[in-house]
Amino acid sequence: MNVLLFGPPGAGKGTQAEAIVARLDVPHVATGDIFRRHLKEQTELGRLAKGYMDKGELVPDQVVCALVTDRLAQPDASKGVLLDGFPRTVSQGEILLDWFSKHGRAVDLVLSLEVAPELLVARLSGRRTCRSCGRSYHVETSPPRVEGVCDSCGGEVVQRDDDREETVRSRLETYLRETAAVLPFLSERCPVVRLDGSQSIASVGAQVAAAIEQAQSAP
Ligand code: ADP
Ligand code: ADP
Ligand code: ZN
């Protein structure tokens, strides 16, 4: 299955991704994680992406799309993929759907995590992230068992530079300006299930599981 995880920054995409990829046995392709890996390894792409990420802006479409289509063409993604944080513009959406149709594939399910804007700021400013595996934590609601250490991989858990308050605000503006329109675009072309992302992590997980089960049993 090819599944898209859609929602504003802080909606809980990364948090839900782990269980989804385990259930579907497909790779997790998160464009933000890919950029952060490049940043850490100080590649040219990492340096380019940083300029945009620090300002809360989007990396240009051509750069992101080339990265994603290369990733989709790799053998481990041939049976399906979970895309997280992509597409973020209508143009990215068009390129993605074209690529899938040229390769005899389709988006089987879009999971849209819907969260009230006032909750997003609290989620993002309290978020802490593992530098090694990307797992999300929250200082108040879901801290790691040992402060600063990832439960999953033992990596260092830190605050992302772009989770500071000024950048959070500009990322939410970028979402409204460029990304929100992707949902109606996708709704006209793919099966979309809207989920209440304001609920607890477990309850959102149950909604996600039910939506996937339903999509798997659809003819
Ligand atoms: P995204 O990948 O959509 O930007 P994350 O999964 O990283 O979002 O979650 C953002 C922050 O909100 C993290 O600190 C995470 O621990 C927290 N979070 C995620 N889902 C929930 C939830 N259902 N209820 C409360 N906090 C959540
Ligand atoms: P979040 O989990 O908070 O939604 P991400 O980790 O997905 O954030 O993305 C972090 C940053 O990486 C974005 O603010 C943007 O600069 C860049 N980025 C990630 N995905 C895309 C994309 N599909 N198009 C353009 N820029 C992207
Ligand atoms: Zn980790």
Side-chain angles (χ1 to χ4, degrees), residues 21-66:
V21 295
R23 175 177 279 266
L24 295 175
D25 193 26
V26 296
H28 176 207
V29 176
T31 41
D33 288 351
I34 297 176
F35 290 134
R36 279 185 292 280
R37 209 170 313 131
H38 277 271
L39 244 166
K40 203 169 138 196
E41 289 163 12
Q42 304 191 327
T43 68
E44 195 159 325
L45 176 62
R47 272 190 290 277
L48 177 124
K50 184 175 163 47
Y52 297 96
M53 293 167 85
D54 282 350
K55 287 188 266 179
E57 290 171 5
L58 296 182
V59 177
D61 287 340
Q62 317 89 278
V63 176
V64 190
C65 290

Side-chain angles (χ1 to χ4, degrees), residues 1-2 24-27 72 74-81 105 108:
M1 267 186 113
N2 301 300
L24 295 175
D25 193 26
V26 296
L72 291 175
Q74 284 171 25
D76 68 325
S78 66
K79 295 226 171 59
V81 69
R105 292 166 64 172
D108 301 298

Side-chain angles (χ1 to χ4, degrees), residues 173-215:
E173 283 164 16
T174 299
Y175 172 81
L176 290 176
R177 197 175 59 244
E178 302 191 56
T179 307
V182 175
L183 189 63
F185 168 84
L186 290 171
S187 300
E188 286 170 14
R189 294 161 179 85
C190 326
V192 173
V193 177
R194 306 168 81 120
L195 306 174
D196 179 4
S198 323
Q199 311 258 321
S200 68
I201 292 176
S203 148
V204 178
Q207 296 176 58
V208 165
I212 290 175
E213 227 163 87
Q214 172 119 45

